[in-house]
Amino acid sequence: MASKLWEKSTTVDHDVESYTVGRDREMDLYLAPYDVLGSLAHIKMLQSIGLLSAEELDTLTGELRGIYEIIGKGEFKIEDDIEDVHSQVELMLTRRLGDTGKKIHSGRSRNDQVLVDLKLFIRSRIEDVTKAMTRLFDTLLEQSERYKDVLLPGYTHLQVAMPSSFGLWFGAYAESLADDLTVMRAAYEITNRNPLGSAAGYGSSFPLNRTMTTNLLGFDSMDYNVVYAQMGRGKTERIVAQALSSIAATVGKLAYDACLFNSQNFGFIKLPDEFTTGSSIMPHKKNPDVFELTRAKCNKLQALPFEITLITNNLPSGYFRDLQLVKENFVPAFDDIIAILDMVTAMVSQIKVNRSIVDDDRYRLMFSVEEVNRLTLEGMPFRDAYKKVGLDIEEGKFNAVKEVHHTHEGSIGNLCNDKIKALYDKTLAGFNFETYHRAFAALLGKN
Ligand code: ARG
């Protein structure tokens, strides 16, 4: 028996086979449950247009649900001489059901199969990422509230500038994540459209009911134009990678701040001992390796959209095997960002802050603007007040009052954390993951 779906009379050279398959079997294992779900929707639709009988649909549905369970138990394997997950599932069906198994591929191609698998995989991984983001978001806001009265120097050019606070510092990263979630929401919307039915990239002469598979799989709508549906391969991954990259940029910046603030020369925060590492030669060292690796991992993630761009760049429309390689870079990125988010959440929840930073006189000049503003409020024109305080500083006569009175929205005394939370929650509710959970439960007969 030929071992490739497409093999007819010539057999494929072994080296060519391992070159073209590469690590694809490994990547396809991540897609396996979604391949089965896609097939469950496809056969239901095939039956509705007369390409399968009701009995055939029943048998195939039962068999596919069985394969889904095997995958869930971690017992699904792509056999050595089987090219990919799509071939493996079809082979399992034909082995058990003969001709009925061979009917399942009417009106589709592996090109739209892998497209739909990826969209379903991405949709569920985005849900996992948003959960990890929410854990970090909540922790940051808690810490912001807990330490809202503790001042620390704010810097511009890494020069002591004006008073800031831990309320502002933690809260800033929470708000940054709220914006990253908005970017992710847009990426989710693009992901949540059904490419199934585009077949090899040019549709089919069977009267496919694409609206039906769109609903069965819990998609918002479809990628209508079949040529565009195929163009979504690589594009969807790139857009989602950009969203992941946005989170990585936020977390990488936080990690760098934390390394800096933890250094003895700053001494603003203390990382819990269990989260630092020692030196093999210097007995006193407690290094912030976790945040350093976080920084590097976040930088690597920010390379991902560029990697995908370069793999897919300059391809004309239509399917090309080049697209397969995107999986190797893209698929593991979700586990990476989730691990980063979880580790940083644990760190942030245990950071100890120094409550007496401003007692140190090296930071006293950051209160100069407070004094300028105080004089201005008393009636002195701002420019004169600025000059007076400047001259006082030069002459060593400036007397820092280490207090702040900031009341406007988003400032030290009025963090607006409730507004930031409302923004985040509104975006999160827009994902509406429940729709696809309900659709999957129905396909699997679990409702
Ligand atoms: N492994 C392939 C991919 O990821 C599946 C699609 C194969 N299609 C083809 N025309 N060779 O793109």
Side-chain angles (χ1 to χ4, degrees), residues 116-340:
V116 79
D117 292 4
L118 275 165
K119 294 254 199 170
L120 298 177
F121 164 80
I122 295 169
R123 212 171 52 175
S124 109
R125 297 303 345 239
I126 288 181
E127 183 176 11
D128 297 335
V129 172
T130 61
K131 284 185 183 150
M133 282 175 87
T134 303
R135 292 191 285 270
L136 178 57
F137 177 83
D138 290 342
T139 307
L140 285 164
L141 277 192
E142 268 164 43
Q143 293 291 62
S144 170
E145 287 296 320
R146 178 171 302 134
Y147 297 121
K148 64 171 177 245
D149 298 323
V150 183
L151 296 180
L152 86 160
Y155 293 80
T156 67
H157 313 269
L158 212 48
Q159 304 281 309
V160 173
M162 282 180 66
S164 180
S165 71
F166 280 105
L168 279 178
W169 185 63
F170 286 116
Y173 286 103
E175 189 169 351
S176 185
L177 282 181
D179 273 354
D180 299 335
L181 192 68
T182 302
V183 176
M184 188 54 93
R185 176 74 190 83
Y188 187 78
E189 192 156 335
I190 288 164
T191 304
N192 203 10
R193 293 185 186 141
N194 183 18
L196 195 62
S198 59
Y202 302 94
S204 164
S205 56
F206 292 123
L208 305 178
N209 184 346
R210 297 192 62 209
T211 300
M212 182 174 174
T213 56
T214 299
N215 294 332
L216 286 172
L217 291 166
F219 282 112
D220 248 4
S221 69
M222 65 181 89
D223 291 319
Y224 293 99
N225 182 310
V226 290
V227 172
Y228 178 63
Q230 180 56 55
M231 280 159 60
R233 181 95 190 266
K235 176 174 176 171
T236 311
E237 293 96 309
R238 193 191 69 236
I239 290 168
V240 173
Q242 276 157 349
L244 295 177
S245 161
S246 192
I247 305 167
T250 295
V251 177
K253 199 183 274 291
L254 168 66
Y256 195 170
D257 274 356
C259 290
L260 210 57
F261 291 178
N262 181 60
S263 152
Q264 293 87 345
N265 293 63
F266 287 79
F268 297 167
I269 60 172
K270 204 170 153 344
L271 304 178
D273 282 354
E274 320 82 86
F275 287 94
T276 59
T277 60
S279 152
S280 60
I281 176 172
M282 300 165 283
H284 65 285
K285 289 304 282 293
K286 287 187 179 147
N287 299 323
D289 293 21
V290 172
F291 274 129
E292 290 168 10
L293 287 165
T294 298
R295 194 168 53 193
K297 283 169 194 260
C298 287
N299 286 340
K300 273 180 76 174
L301 273 171
Q302 287 174 82
L304 184 61
F306 298 100
E307 289 168 359
I308 297 174
T309 299
L310 290 172
I311 296 169
T312 58
N313 227 14
N314 304 331
L315 292 181
S317 57
Y319 175 84
F320 294 93
R321 194 71 181 267
D322 307 49
L323 296 164
Q324 171 177 299
L325 280 201
V326 172
K327 282 189 259 180
E328 290 175 25
N329 298 54
F330 178 69
V331 165
F334 294 97
D335 280 344
D336 293 343
I337 193 79
I338 290 168
I340 290 169

Side-chain angles (χ1 to χ4, degrees), residues 32 34 44 57 65 74 86 231 260 313 359 399 434:
Y34 307 104
K44 209 159 177 185
L57 173 63
R65 286 177 182 165
H86 327 293
M231 280 159 60
L260 210 57
N313 227 14
D359 293 351
N399 178 27
E434 267 314 301

Side-chain angles (χ1 to χ4, degrees), residues 62-80:
E63 221 37 70
L64 281 167
R65 286 177 182 165
I67 297 176
Y68 189 86
E69 271 179 30
I70 294 175
I71 297 167
K73 286 193 219 138
E75 287 164 8
F76 177 85
K77 288 200 174 49
I78 301 174
E79 295 162 38
D80 280 349

Side-chain angles (χ1 to χ4, degrees), residues 310-373:
L310 290 172
I311 296 169
T312 58
N313 227 14
N314 304 331
L315 292 181
S317 57
Y319 175 84
F320 294 93
R321 194 71 181 267
D322 307 49
L323 296 164
Q324 171 177 299
L325 280 201
V326 172
K327 282 189 259 180
E328 290 175 25
N329 298 54
F330 178 69
V331 165
F334 294 97
D335 280 344
D336 293 343
I337 193 79
I338 290 168
I340 290 169
L341 287 165
D342 285 347
M343 183 54 75
V344 170
T345 303
M347 294 285 273
V348 167
S349 69
Q350 298 195 48
I351 281 178
K352 294 272 170 304
V353 318
N354 176 352
R355 290 182 174 275
S356 50
I357 300 168
V358 295
D359 293 351
D360 188 326
D361 263 352
R362 86 178 93 176
Y363 304 121
R364 53 192 280 280
L365 292 183
M366 75 178 177
F367 294 96
S368 69
V369 185
E370 306 300 307
E371 178 61 8
V372 172
N373 292 358

